[in-house]
Amino acid sequence: RKEVEQDPGPFNVPEGATVAFNCTYSNSASQSFFWYRQDCRKEPKLLMSVYSSGNEDGRFTAQLNRASQYISLLIRDSKLSDSATYLCVVNKGTGRRALTFGSGTRLQVQP
Amino acid sequence: NAGVTQTPKFQVLKTGQSMTLQCAQDMNHNSMYWYRQDPGMGLRLIYYSASEGTTDKGEVPNGYNVSRLNKREFSLRLESAAPSQTSVYFCASSGQDRGSNQPQHFGDGTRLSIL
């Protein structure tokens, strides 16, 4: 089983739609969780950290479910500029700096 | 704000050649990382350095060496390049942990092709 699993997509949605991605992780000792965004042939960029209580940043909402070992990302009112690959990222355990990256979920927002 | 700077941006090598990928950060971060990204596989950690003077292997260290030259710089060396090392290489850095990982900031990558 992969340490971090994501549906590769692509998710094709119209502008204005709400879309959600899930990600599962296998290491129950993981303590830190992030969503990164990667545009084609560019570097990954931090979208948001994921906190235990869930957190929101504008149109983006992240949730963590430790019992089921998954995190989610919800994007409301999708924009064309949201088209990208979204990477789920978890650390390798308590106190460990090394991160494990999922392969990413590709989102294509269509006009 | 330069952030994380990688050089070169592109490189083509012949099998057996050696080269060093350079990375520097100006954010006063303690930790630095080297990843490779291949199609459909996500980023895989090659080596990392938790602080100046220390380095540790990641998932895929074979065929690579690293040097943490000082707090700012972390280089990746391919001693004898192989076609399997054709990839996009990303350097990243992160700040001091405060009970949880700080997010990593990435350079814009080095596209390496080995013929």
Side-chain angles (χ1 to χ4, degrees), chain A residues 13-21 35 37 39 47-49 55-63 72-84 86 107-110:
Chain A
V13 303
E15 270 188 292
T18 295
V19 61
F21 310 134
W35 283 102
R37 169 196 170 123
D39 294 291
L47 179 66
M48 58 196 304
S49 300
N55 50 299
E56 189 174 302
D57 182 1
R59 297 183 292 108
F60 299 85
T61 300
Q63 296 280 352
S72 64
L73 178 68
L74 181 78
I75 305 175
R76 290 182 298 279
D77 187 23
S78 299
K79 313 290 185 192
L80 294 175
S81 57
D82 294 333
S83 298
Y86 291 83
L107 171 65
Q108 185 67 48
V109 181
Q110 295 162 337

Coordinates of all heavy atoms in Angstrom, one line a residue, chain A residues 13-21 35 37 39 47-49 55-63 72-84 86 107-110:
Chain A
V13 N -14.5 19.9 -14.1 CA -15.6 20.6 -13.5 C -15.9 22.0 -14.2 O -14.9 22.6 -14.7 CB -15.5 20.8 -12.0 CG1 -15.2 19.5 -11.3 CG2 -14.4 21.8 -11.7
P14 N -17.1 22.4 -14.2 CA -17.4 23.8 -14.8 C -17.0 24.8 -13.8 O -17.0 24.6 -12.6 CB -18.9 23.7 -15.1 CG -19.4 22.8 -14.1 CD -18.3 21.7 -13.9
E15 N -16.7 26.0 -14.3 CA -16.5 27.2 -13.4 C -17.7 27.3 -12.5 O -18.8 27.1 -12.9 CB -16.5 28.5 -14.3 CG -15.1 28.8 -14.8 CD -15.1 30.2 -15.4 OE1 -15.7 30.3 -16.5 OE2 -14.5 31.1 -14.9
G16 N -17.4 27.7 -11.2 CA -18.4 27.9 -10.2 C -18.8 26.6 -9.5 O -19.5 26.7 -8.5
A17 N -18.3 25.5 -9.9 CA -18.7 24.2 -9.2 C -17.9 24.1 -7.9 O -16.9 24.7 -7.7 CB -18.3 23.0 -10.2
T18 N -18.4 23.2 -7.1 CA -17.7 22.8 -5.9 C -17.1 21.4 -6.1 O -17.8 20.5 -6.7 CB -18.6 22.8 -4.7 OG1 -19.1 24.1 -4.4 CG2 -17.9 22.2 -3.5
V19 N -15.9 21.2 -5.8 CA -15.2 20.0 -6.0 C -14.4 19.6 -4.7 O -13.9 20.4 -4.0 CB -14.3 20.1 -7.2 CG1 -13.2 21.1 -7.0 CG2 -13.7 18.7 -7.6
A20 N -14.4 18.3 -4.5 CA -13.7 17.8 -3.3 C -12.7 16.7 -3.7 O -13.0 15.8 -4.5 CB -14.7 17.3 -2.2
F21 N -11.6 16.7 -3.0 CA -10.6 15.6 -3.2 C -10.3 15.0 -1.8 O -10.3 15.7 -0.8 CB -9.2 16.2 -3.7 CG -9.3 17.1 -4.9 CD1 -8.6 18.3 -4.9 CD2 -10.1 16.7 -6.0 CE1 -8.6 19.1 -5.9 CE2 -10.1 17.6 -7.1 CZ -9.4 18.8 -7.0
W35 N -1.7 20.5 1.9 CA -2.1 20.4 0.5 C -1.2 21.4 -0.2 O -1.0 22.5 0.2 CB -3.6 20.8 0.3 CG -4.5 19.8 0.7 CD1 -5.3 19.7 1.8 CD2 -4.9 18.6 -0.1 NE1 -6.1 18.6 1.8 CE2 -5.8 17.9 0.6 CE3 -4.4 18.1 -1.4 CZ2 -6.4 16.7 0.1 CZ3 -5.0 16.9 -1.8 CH2 -5.9 16.2 -1.1
R37 N -0.1 22.7 -4.3 CA -0.7 22.9 -5.6 C 0.6 22.9 -6.6 O 1.6 23.5 -6.3 CB -1.4 24.2 -5.7 CG -1.8 24.6 -7.1 CD -2.2 26.0 -7.2 NE -2.2 26.4 -8.6 CZ -3.3 26.9 -9.2 NH1 -4.4 27.2 -8.5 NH2 -3.3 27.1 -10.5
D39 N 1.4 23.5 -10.7 CA 1.0 23.8 -12.1 C 2.0 23.0 -13.0 O 3.1 22.7 -12.6 CB 1.1 25.3 -12.3 CG 0.0 26.0 -11.5 OD1 -1.2 25.8 -11.9 OD2 0.4 26.7 -10.6
L47 N -0.4 25.2 -0.6 CA -1.8 25.8 -0.7 C -2.3 26.1 0.8 O -2.7 27.2 1.1 CB -2.7 24.8 -1.4 CG -4.2 25.2 -1.5 CD1 -4.3 26.4 -2.4 CD2 -5.0 24.0 -2.0
M48 N -2.2 25.1 1.6 CA -2.6 25.2 3.0 C -2.2 24.1 3.8 O -2.0 23.0 3.4 CB -4.1 25.4 3.1 CG -5.0 24.3 2.6 SD -6.7 24.8 2.3 CE -7.2 25.4 4.0
S49 N -1.9 24.4 5.1 CA -1.7 23.3 6.1 C -3.1 22.8 6.5 O -4.1 23.5 6.3 CB -1.0 23.9 7.3 OG 0.3 24.4 6.9
N55 N -9.8 23.6 8.7 CA -9.5 25.0 8.5 C -9.9 25.4 7.1 O -10.0 24.6 6.2 CB -8.0 25.3 8.8 CG -7.0 24.4 8.1 OD1 -7.0 23.1 8.3 ND2 -6.2 24.9 7.2
E56 N -10.1 26.7 7.0 CA -10.6 27.3 5.8 C -9.7 28.5 5.4 O -9.2 29.2 6.2 CB -12.0 27.8 6.1 CG -12.8 28.2 4.9 CD -14.3 28.5 5.2 OE1 -15.0 27.6 5.8 OE2 -14.7 29.7 5.0
D57 N -9.5 28.6 4.1 CA -8.8 29.8 3.6 C -9.5 30.2 2.3 O -9.3 29.7 1.2 CB -7.4 29.4 3.3 CG -6.5 30.5 2.8 OD1 -7.1 31.7 2.7 OD2 -5.3 30.3 2.5
G58 N -10.4 31.2 2.5 CA -11.2 31.7 1.3 C -12.1 30.6 0.8 O -12.9 30.1 1.5
R59 N -11.9 30.2 -0.4 CA -12.7 29.2 -1.1 C -12.3 27.8 -0.8 O -12.9 26.8 -1.2 CB -12.7 29.4 -2.6 CG -13.3 30.8 -3.0 CD -13.3 30.9 -4.6 NE -12.0 31.0 -5.1 CZ -11.4 30.0 -5.8 NH1 -12.0 28.9 -6.1 NH2 -10.2 30.2 -6.3
F60 N -11.2 27.6 -0.1 CA -10.6 26.3 0.2 C -10.9 25.9 1.7 O -10.6 26.7 2.6 CB -9.1 26.4 -0.1 CG -8.8 26.7 -1.5 CD1 -8.7 28.0 -1.9 CD2 -8.6 25.7 -2.4 CE1 -8.4 28.4 -3.2 CE2 -8.3 26.0 -3.8 CZ -8.2 27.4 -4.1
T61 N -11.3 24.6 1.8 CA -11.5 24.1 3.2 C -10.8 22.7 3.2 O -11.0 21.9 2.3 CB -13.0 23.9 3.5 OG1 -13.7 25.1 3.4 CG2 -13.2 23.3 4.9
A62 N -10.0 22.6 4.3 CA -9.3 21.3 4.5 C -9.8 20.6 5.7 O -10.1 21.3 6.7 CB -7.8 21.5 4.6
Q63 N -9.9 19.3 5.7 CA -10.4 18.5 6.9 C -9.5 17.4 7.1 O -8.9 16.8 6.1 CB -11.8 18.0 6.6 CG -12.9 19.0 6.5 CD -13.4 19.6 7.8 OE1 -13.0 19.1 8.8 NE2 -14.2 20.6 7.7
S72 N -9.0 15.8 3.4 CA -9.8 16.2 2.3 C -9.6 17.7 2.0 O -9.1 18.5 2.8 CB -11.3 16.0 2.5 OG -11.7 16.8 3.6
L73 N -9.8 18.1 0.7 CA -9.7 19.4 0.3 C -11.0 19.8 -0.5 O -11.4 19.0 -1.4 CB -8.5 19.7 -0.6 CG -8.4 21.1 -1.2 CD1 -8.1 22.1 -0.1 CD2 -7.3 21.1 -2.3
L74 N -11.7 20.8 -0.1 CA -12.9 21.2 -0.8 C -12.6 22.6 -1.4 O -12.1 23.5 -0.8 CB -14.1 21.4 0.2 CG -15.4 21.8 -0.3 CD1 -16.1 20.6 -1.0 CD2 -16.3 22.3 0.8
I75 N -13.0 22.7 -2.7 CA -12.8 24.0 -3.4 C -14.2 24.4 -3.8 O -14.9 23.7 -4.5 CB -11.9 23.9 -4.6 CG1 -10.6 23.3 -4.3 CG2 -11.7 25.2 -5.3 CD1 -9.7 23.0 -5.4
R76 N -14.6 25.6 -3.3 CA -15.9 26.2 -3.7 C -15.8 27.2 -4.8 O -14.7 27.8 -4.9 CB -16.6 26.8 -2.5 CG -17.0 25.9 -1.4 CD -17.7 26.7 -0.3 NE -16.8 27.6 0.3 CZ -15.9 27.3 1.3 NH1 -15.8 26.0 1.7 NH2 -15.0 28.2 1.8
D77 N -16.8 27.4 -5.6 CA -16.8 28.4 -6.7 C -15.5 28.3 -7.5 O -14.8 29.3 -7.6 CB -17.0 29.8 -6.0 CG -17.2 30.9 -7.0 OD1 -17.6 30.6 -8.1 OD2 -16.9 32.1 -6.7
S78 N -15.3 27.2 -8.1 CA -14.1 26.9 -8.9 C -13.8 28.0 -9.9 O -14.7 28.5 -10.6 CB -14.1 25.6 -9.6 OG -14.3 24.6 -8.6
K79 N -12.6 28.4 -10.0 CA -12.1 29.4 -11.0 C -11.2 28.6 -12.1 O -10.6 27.6 -11.8 CB -11.3 30.5 -10.4 CG -11.9 31.1 -9.2 CD -13.1 31.9 -9.5 CE -13.6 32.7 -8.2 NZ -14.9 33.2 -8.5
L80 N -11.1 29.2 -13.3 CA -10.3 28.6 -14.3 C -8.8 28.5 -13.7 O -8.1 27.5 -14.0 CB -10.3 29.5 -15.5 CG -11.6 29.5 -16.3 CD1 -11.5 30.5 -17.5 CD2 -12.0 28.2 -16.8
S81 N -8.4 29.5 -12.9 CA -7.1 29.5 -12.4 C -6.8 28.4 -11.3 O -5.7 28.2 -10.9 CB -6.8 30.9 -11.8 OG -7.7 31.2 -10.8
D82 N -7.9 27.7 -10.9 CA -7.7 26.6 -10.0 C -7.2 25.3 -10.7 O -6.8 24.4 -10.0 CB -9.0 26.3 -9.3 CG -9.5 27.4 -8.3 OD1 -8.6 28.2 -7.8 OD2 -10.7 27.5 -8.1
S83 N -7.2 25.3 -12.0 CA -6.8 24.2 -12.8 C -5.3 23.9 -12.4 O -4.4 24.8 -12.6 CB -6.9 24.4 -14.3 OG -8.3 24.6 -14.6
A84 N -5.0 22.7 -11.9 CA -3.7 22.4 -11.5 C -3.7 21.0 -10.9 O -4.8 20.3 -10.9 CB -3.2 23.3 -10.3
Y86 N -3.2 18.8 -7.4 CA -3.2 19.1 -6.0 C -2.6 17.9 -5.3 O -3.0 16.7 -5.5 CB -4.7 19.3 -5.5 CG -5.2 20.6 -6.0 CD1 -5.7 20.7 -7.3 CD2 -5.1 21.8 -5.2 CE1 -6.1 22.0 -7.8 CE2 -5.5 23.0 -5.7 CZ -6.0 23.1 -7.0 OH -6.4 24.3 -7.5
L107 N -6.9 18.7 -11.5 CA -8.2 19.4 -11.6 C -8.2 20.2 -12.9 O -7.2 21.0 -13.1 CB -8.5 20.3 -10.4 CG -9.7 21.2 -10.5 CD1 -11.0 20.4 -10.6 CD2 -9.7 22.2 -9.3
Q108 N -9.2 20.1 -13.7 CA -9.4 21.0 -14.9 C -10.7 21.7 -14.7 O -11.8 21.0 -14.8 CB -9.3 20.1 -16.1 CG -9.3 20.9 -17.4 CD -8.1 21.8 -17.6 OE1 -7.0 21.3 -17.4 NE2 -8.3 23.0 -17.9
V109 N -10.7 23.0 -14.6 CA -11.9 23.8 -14.5 C -12.2 24.3 -15.9 O -11.3 24.9 -16.5 CB -11.7 24.9 -13.5 CG1 -13.0 25.7 -13.4 CG2 -11.4 24.4 -12.1
Q110 N -13.4 24.1 -16.4 CA -13.7 24.4 -17.7 C -14.7 25.6 -17.8 O -15.5 25.8 -16.9 CB -14.3 23.2 -18.4 CG -13.3 22.1 -18.6 CD -13.9 20.7 -18.8 OE1 -15.1 20.5 -18.5 NE2 -13.2 19.8 -19.4

